[in-house]
Amino acid sequence: MPGRQIDISRSMVALVASLTALALLGLSTHLPGWLGRDEGFDDISPGLLTVAADAKGVATLGGGVSVSLYPDGLRILRGEDLLTQTVIGGSMLSALEGRATGRGVDTEEKVTRVLSNVTIDELTFLPGRATYFGHVSDGEVTMPLVMRVELAGSVIRLGVDVNGADGVVWHLDHRPLTTGIRPALPSVNLRRKAAWLAPSSAEGQAAFSTNLGTNVGVGPGRVARGVDVREEGRIDVHVWSNAAFLTISSFARPQPAPSPST
């Protein structure tokens, strides 16, 4: 009987230790938000994406770069390599009314209206540039938008101008190893984090990278810019300007080691 009691005691200790470890893991995941490190961001969810028949399809920009737009989202590729894509089955952006106050890590946004339903009506294609025309709406208010994907030297520029908006949020599909790049953001994995870009970082300067082998920068400069990766399935890039853009560049992806010769 004493031996059995010892075994039960050891089992209870093991159970308590396991539960404590799980609690600490959950605490470490959510603690940054509870302590206020992620304060200042509103959660802006994508809406519906509607693409007219004339705007669907693939546009080749040159240099092996192409952009495709369908009702499930927008994709940018170089050759067969995916560089970035917007959320799958939702709008690629939302327009905001409101304002952002403070500076740097002390920035706080006050959003009074979110227009998340995007309709793309028309595509105009020129060498090196695809321009999409449409509008964004919340069912009551509608704002016209012009979105461009173009080659800009060594980078690809994804830009939008929403007439009447105070800010724009890009909704990108989530990718593992979304990591900040100094000096714009701390060089840490941004999973379940949100952070404002350093005000001193240049517009379009690489701010974060993903496992696609892609660096992403944010512009314009001199406005509040932030990256929110707290929600599962997406990366939200907040830009407090009616005209916002992302710069997309790729770096060499690690190649699998060759199989040993037989």
Side-chain angles (χ1 to χ4, degrees), residues 55-131:
K56 295 178 184 177
V58 179
T60 301
L61 303 183
V65 176
S66 63
V67 55
S68 68
L69 178 63
Y70 293 97
D72 63 345
L74 180 144
R75 296 172 179 83
I76 299 174
L77 302 95
R78 176 173 279 117
E80 296 183 354
D81 292 334
L82 177 64
L83 299 183
T84 194
Q85 70 180 55
T86 59
V87 290
I88 300 172
S91 62
M92 72 281 291
L93 60 87
S94 296
L96 308 179
E97 290 184 350
R99 61 194 178 95
T101 59
R103 183 174 172 82
V105 295
D106 296 322
T107 301
E108 184 172 359
E109 57 187 17
K110 301 292 186 182
V111 178
T112 57
R113 182 184 290 273
V114 179
L115 296 82
S116 290
N117 298 320
V118 172
T119 299
I120 303 297
D121 300 308
E122 181 185 352
L123 163 64
T124 299
F125 179 69
L126 294 172
R129 175 188 295 176
T131 304

Side-chain angles (χ1 to χ4, degrees), residues 91-95 115-116 118 136 145 147 160 162 168-171:
S91 62
M92 72 281 291
L93 60 87
S94 296
L115 296 82
S116 290
V118 172
V136 59
L145 69 81
M147 183 174 67
V160 70
V162 183
V168 170
V169 177
W170 291 102
H171 302 297

Side-chain angles (χ1 to χ4, degrees), residues 138-216:
D138 66 352
E140 296 181 357
V141 175
T142 298
M143 297 178 182
L145 69 81
V146 179
M147 183 174 67
R148 297 182 180 87
V149 187
E150 58 189 327
L151 293 178
S154 61
V155 303
I156 302 155
R157 179 167 164 147
L158 170 60
V160 70
D161 191 334
V162 183
N163 188 15
D166 297 312
V168 170
V169 177
W170 291 102
H171 302 297
L172 305 181
D173 186 49
H174 180 261
R175 290 290 166 175
L177 299 179
T178 299
T179 304
I181 299 175
R182 293 185 183 278
L185 290 171
S187 55
V188 298
N189 192 321
L190 299 176
R191 182 176 181 267
R192 296 190 181 276
K193 295 180 176 66
W196 295 101
L197 272 65
S200 59
S201 61
E203 67 174 29
Q205 179 180 11
F208 64 92
S209 63
T210 74
N211 72 328
L212 291 175
T214 303
N215 290 337
V216 180

